[in-house]
Every structure is written in structure tokens, then in C-alpha cells.
Amino acid sequence: QVQLVESGGGLVQAGESLRLSCAASGRTFRAYGTGWFRQAPGKDREFVAAIARSITGTLYADSLKGRFTISRDNAKNTVYLQMNSLKPEDTALYYCASQNTVVISRAESDYEYWGQGTQVTVSS
């Protein structure tokens, strides 16, 4: 009952920044938190970051903490992913997802609703 739409992807050069947005609609009050995942060609989908809805709390992939920042505006039902100092290895299709299984999670299996993704390509 939650619909998610990602936006903000594009083609950038290494070292540049990009901000992704995830707009939610529907019965968003039933979702505990939102996460970002990414999938590069030929690789499995991996966790990027997550943020809680009812409490202050965030999670990040160890390799991304410090460069990426997740935030949300509950009034707008929107979650953001600020990506700084982008590297070619960040190239992937980025998905946002929503869940009400636990307060916050990095586990893909906990997420119930998924967007269709937005492509981020970083050239060297």
C-alpha cells in the first residue's frame, strides 16, 4: 500500500555529487523506515543506507559512511540520499525501499515495498 518513486540519478564525473530523492505515497504511516540499495551490472543488490521513521537513527554500509548521507522530510514523505565524492564503483541502479518489519534495517528481506530505481553513472 506504499508507492515509491526515485529520482535524481544521472551521469556525473568522479568527485562530483548527486542527491537522490525517494517520494512515497499511499499508507506511509504503516512504514517504520526507508532504505537505499544499489545494484551494479553483474552484481548482487547491496545495502547502502537506511533511516528510521519514528525515531532518530541511520545505518550505512561501512564502505560508504562519510561520503553518503541519508535524510528524510516526513512532512513531504520524501527520503534523500546525498552522495558526495562519487567514484566509478558507485555506478549502479539505486533503489529505495520501505518496510514496517522493524524500526530500522539493513536487511533486504525486511523491506516490503520497492521503487523501480534510478540510474547513477560515474565516469572516470
Side-chain angles (χ1 to χ4, degrees):
Q1 296 183 359
V2 176
Q3 295 79 47
L4 305 172
V5 179
E6 304 97 333
S7 62
L11 175 63
V12 297
Q13 294 183 336
E16 295 183 341
S17 298
L18 208 58
R19 187 176 75 161
L20 306 183
S21 297
C22 175
S25 61
R27 302 178 70 83
T28 57
F29 69 90
R30 301 179 70 172
Y32 284 147
T34 301
W36 285 96
F37 296 80
R38 68 184 185 183
Q39 186 168 29
K43 297 184 178 180
D44 293 333
R45 189 157 54 194
E46 65 176 336
F47 172 76
V48 174
I51 188 167
R53 179 178 178 85
S54 61
I55 62 171
T56 300
T58 57
L59 294 173
Y60 295 93
D62 290 341
S63 62
L64 302 178
K65 189 170 185 177
R67 287 198 300 122
F68 287 17
T69 302
I70 188 170
S71 62
R72 74 187 313 152
D73 185 338
N74 285 338
K76 297 181 178 180
N77 288 322
T78 300
V79 174
Y80 305 96
L81 182 68
Q82 178 67 43
M83 305 184 294
N84 296 328
S85 301
L86 284 164
K87 304 175 181 179
E89 52 262 44
D90 295 320
T91 295
L93 186 65
Y94 284 72
Y95 299 89
C96 69
S98 178
Q99 58 88 16
N100 66 350
T101 304
V102 294
V103 174
I104 191 168
S105 176
R106 64 174 71 238
E108 183 176 338
S109 61
D110 285 333
Y111 289 82
E112 302 172 69
Y113 304 99
W114 295 77
Q116 292 189 315
T118 185
Q119 179 68 39
V120 173
T121 302
V122 184
S123 63
S124 60

